[in-house]
Amino acid sequence: MTETDRPGEMQPNQSLKKIDHFWLTLMDRPLTFAVVVLMALALLPVAVWLDLRTISDQSLRAQAVDLDRAITEIRTYYARNVVGRVLDSDGSIEPTHDYHDKAGGIPIPATLSIELGDVIGDQGNLDYRFVSDLPFLERGSHDLTPFEVQALADFRESRDANDIEIEYAGTFFDRHVQIASPVLMGESCVSCHNTHPESPKTDWETGDVRGIQAITIDQSIAANLWSFKFLLTYFAGAGAFGIAFAGLQWRQAVRFHKMNQDLECANGEISSLNTQLKSENLRLGAEIEIAREIQMMVLPTPNELGGIDELEVAAFMQPADEVGGDYYDVLQLCDKVKIGIGDVTGHGLESGVLMLMVQSIAVALQEQGTTDPKQFLNTLNSAICRNIKRTRTDKHLTLSFVDIEGDTITLSGQHEELIILRADGELEVIDTLDLGFPIGLEENISDFVHTLQRPFKSGDTLVLYTDGVTEAEDSAKSLYGLDRLLDSAQRHKHCDVSIMLEHMIADLKEHIGDETIHDDITLLVARRQ
């Protein structure tokens, strides 16, 4: 099993498909897309707000610690340099907690700290408390908060003067930090408290935790928010740009999605049309194959050509497509032989059908005994014109007939040149341009059809061809031409007509080489025995 085949592992293309499906689903829901964009943009100021809260916590903590240390230093200074010096003197000054009621009285450090808390009180965002769970009897009990109770217990366990405890609280829009530090008994404090009549305890020792001092600082985050006015302005501009850009991207994505949907529909239609076209091509291919078979079936067979009295005939036809537009036939009625050759414009199915029409009509006219060449061509042309109109085709053809009777041939109709190789070596090339008119253009061509008679004695050879022979091209686009055809015919005229035809076709194909055959090729050789 390969890595990509392990169960439970998602293939990369499946992941991409899921991502594409997610985005397409999002594009189909514009409101959801807008909410997602707004939420994404809103997360940035939220992150800044959270960072601001963290900064506030750190700032408040630093302020509280500094203030706690300052008050501790003040109280220590007061105890050492004021109360301590007073206790060491013989004057009338007395450090006492009730100094207000006694002349010459000054507050002891604890009283100073408590009254500092009263003086500071809850001044704006600052609160200071100097409290203990063992107050003097006349002071009454202090209401300790859970944080202060826990801090006092922790300090008595650690007995470390540098120990502090911090608590953070507040809401999303404001923060406050509370810091507590221990109040430890010094030597002067111990002697005073252990002898004082209102002291709740008389066994204090140096280092005992008498109480705590707690400082609370409150700060509104929203109050400091405008300090970030440049950053907020930047966020507002970036947010507006982001919304506009996201909207543009969403619009483009929707357009591309619509284009993809249209393309999928078009691909579906193309696929359906391709299926139909494939089926149609198969059907048309079958029809063309049938037409080709029919066309080949109506051509003269070797036995027919070999059975003509006093005439040796060989013929070759190669269509450029499956169905060709060239026509040739050899018809015999009693002692008369009619050889026809023609070329339908173009090639393919329509040309092949027209060729079959010509062949059928020519056979019918020959069987009816129509012997006049002019009448034969004119009647055939009229029938072809009617069929062309019926089939709505634009095809027509050049067509010539050679009537052989005794030692004479009668040539009629317009086609390529007729070549006669005389037995004595003379070469005769007859132009047929003035002997007829293209078949299928005019219903009556009797005024254009003429005949030409020539002797045709024993040993004379006829060569008939279509323009696919003379217009065949080699790799240099050079045409085979009439001169090469005449040269080939003269070089091989002493052979039997079948061998002569093979050599002439070989010469033609040697000229063509590997080039594509663009037109039907037909060549017929007939020799008088």
Side-chain angles (χ1 to χ4, degrees):
M1 180 180 296
T2 64
E3 291 186 2
T4 56
D5 294 331
R6 291 175 183 170
E9 291 188 1
M10 184 176 294
Q11 304 298 325
N13 58 345
Q14 293 177 342
S15 300
L16 292 175
K17 287 182 179 178
K18 287 194 173 183
I19 294 173
D20 290 341
H21 178 71
F22 169 76
W23 284 111
L24 291 177
T25 304
L26 200 60
M27 284 188 295
D28 290 335
R29 296 173 173 81
L31 184 59
T32 303
F33 181 80
V35 171
V36 170
V37 172
L38 291 176
M39 287 180 62
L41 293 173
L43 288 177
L44 186 57
V46 169
V48 173
W49 187 279
L50 294 176
D51 286 339
L52 180 59
R53 190 174 73 167
T54 301
I55 294 173
S56 296
D57 289 345
Q58 294 174 351
S59 175
L60 292 175
R61 172 178 176 174
Q63 293 178 44
V65 169
D66 291 342
L67 182 59
D68 175 75
R69 290 174 179 173
I71 293 175
T72 300
E73 292 295 329
I74 292 172
R75 188 177 64 254
T76 302
Y77 173 83
Y78 183 82
R80 181 176 62 249
N81 296 312
V82 178
V83 176
R85 293 175 64 84
V86 169
L87 291 176
D88 291 338
S89 69
D90 294 332
S92 60
I93 298 174
E94 179 186 358
T96 178
H97 68 284
D98 55 350
Y99 70 95
H100 294 286
D101 301 327
K102 295 181 179 181
I106 60 173
I108 61 176
T111 301
L112 175 65
S113 297
I114 293 173
E115 292 187 356
L116 278 176
D118 295 335
V119 173
I120 297 174
D122 189 4
Q123 298 292 330
N125 63 342
L126 177 63
D127 181 42
Y128 173 77
R129 280 166 56 86
F130 189 87
V131 294
S132 174
D133 58 347
L134 297 171
F136 277 16
L137 297 178
E138 69 173 14
R139 294 189 185 278
S141 62
H142 295 164
D143 294 327
L144 302 181
T145 65
F147 167 73
E148 294 169 340
V149 172
Q150 183 62 47
L152 190 57
D154 293 340
F155 293 153
R156 283 176 176 162
E157 182 178 353
S158 66
R159 297 175 63 86
D160 184 359
N162 296 319
D163 196 5
I164 61 172
E165 288 204 10
I166 299 176
E167 179 184 64
Y168 297 98
T171 66
F172 187 78
F173 299 99
D174 60 70
R175 300 294 291 169
H176 71 264
V177 60
Q178 189 173 9
I179 184 170
S181 61
V183 178
L184 274 62
M185 300 290 288
E187 292 181 1
S188 59
C189 297
V190 170
S191 61
C192 178
H193 281 71
N194 285 340
T195 60
H196 200 285
E198 294 184 11
S199 176
K201 184 178 177 182
T202 58
D203 58 349
W204 292 103
E205 296 179 359
T206 301
D208 285 348
V209 177
R210 175 71 176 85
I212 63 172
Q213 66 176 8
I215 298 173
T216 303
I217 299 179
D218 296 315
Q219 188 174 50
S220 172
I221 299 177
N224 296 325
L225 187 60
W226 189 239
S227 300
F228 296 87
K229 53 182 176 295
F230 297 110
L231 184 60
L232 293 175
T233 303
Y234 170 77
F235 284 159
F241 176 78
I243 292 174
F245 182 76
L248 178 62
Q249 292 299 311
W250 175 78
R251 182 181 179 185
Q252 290 294 101
V254 170
R255 291 178 61 187
F256 282 125
H257 180 48
K258 180 65 168 56
M259 291 172 61
N260 288 336
Q261 288 180 329
D262 294 342
L263 186 59
E264 288 180 2
C265 292
N267 287 337
E269 293 178 0
I270 291 174
S271 178
S272 177
L273 291 175
N274 283 338
T275 301
Q276 297 179 13
L277 184 60
K278 183 178 180 180
S279 176
E280 186 68 17
N281 285 340
L282 291 174
R283 183 189 64 80
L284 184 60
E287 293 178 356
I288 290 176
E289 178 63 22
I290 293 173
R292 189 187 71 83
E293 293 293 335
I294 293 174
Q295 185 181 48
M296 300 306 293
M297 288 171 59
V298 300
L299 292 177
T301 65
N303 290 334
E304 290 178 315
L305 297 179
I308 299 176
D309 297 337
E310 299 182 354
L311 198 64
E312 185 181 0
V313 182
F316 172 85
M317 186 176 78
Q318 179 178 341
D321 281 335
E322 291 88 344
V323 180
D326 281 1
Y327 160 77
Y328 81 90
D329 205 352
V330 180
L331 306 174
Q332 183 176 19
L333 183 63
C334 300
D335 58 346
K336 298 179 180 180
V337 176
K338 181 184 286 289
I339 300 177
I341 189 166
D343 184 5
V344 181
T345 55
H347 47 83
L349 185 58
E350 286 189 4
S351 299
V353 171
L354 186 55
M355 172 267 186
L356 291 175
M357 293 180 188
V358 172
Q359 194 274 341
S360 300
I361 295 171
V363 170
L365 291 175
Q366 179 76 355
E367 293 296 326
Q368 287 179 357
T370 304
T371 57
D372 183 9
K374 296 180 61 175
Q375 182 183 355
F376 190 97
L377 266 177
N378 193 51
T379 303
L380 185 147
N381 174 73
S382 297
I384 291 298
C385 283
R386 286 193 296 271
N387 283 344
I388 286 176
K389 288 182 180 179
R390 180 176 295 176
T391 57
R392 296 183 178 88
T393 183
D394 58 351
K395 302 292 184 180
H396 60 277
L397 72 152
T398 59
L399 181 62
S400 290
F401 286 101
V402 178
D403 290 279
I404 303 175
E405 185 175 5
D407 293 337
T408 303
I409 61 173
T410 301
L411 179 62
S412 60
Q414 184 187 93
H415 188 58
E416 304 297 324
E417 290 86 350
L418 176 70
I419 302 172
I420 303 178
L421 298 172
R422 299 297 182 182
D424 58 6
E426 182 183 352
L427 175 64
E428 186 176 354
V429 179
I430 302 173
D431 190 350
T432 63
L433 182 63
D434 296 330
L435 299 181
F437 194 81
I439 304 299
L441 293 179
E442 296 288 338
E443 290 192 8
N444 187 354
I445 59 172
S446 58
D447 293 337
F448 302 99
V449 177
H450 303 282
T451 60
L452 179 66
Q453 290 187 340
R454 284 290 186 272
F456 189 56
K457 298 181 180 180
S458 177
D460 291 346
T461 303
L462 293 176
V463 177
L464 293 86
Y465 63 95
T466 59
D467 60 1
V469 175
T470 53
E471 295 179 2
E473 296 179 344
D474 61 7
S475 58
K477 304 301 180 183
S478 175
L479 301 181
Y480 188 65
L482 180 60
D483 291 339
R484 287 190 178 90
L485 179 61
L486 295 175
D487 178 70
S488 178
Q490 287 182 316
R491 284 189 288 108
H492 306 297
K493 65 182 181 180
H494 300 294
C495 302
D496 292 339
V497 292
S498 58
I499 303 301
M500 177 181 175
L501 179 65
E502 290 179 3
H503 287 313
M504 292 178 69
I505 294 299
D507 291 343
L508 174 63
K509 290 187 175 181
E510 182 180 0
H511 174 80
I512 296 173
D514 296 330
E515 294 301 303
T516 302
I517 297 176
H518 298 289
D519 198 3
D520 306 326
I521 294 175
T522 300
L523 187 62
L524 185 145
V525 180
R527 179 177 295 160
R528 180 67 184 273
Q529 292 179 347

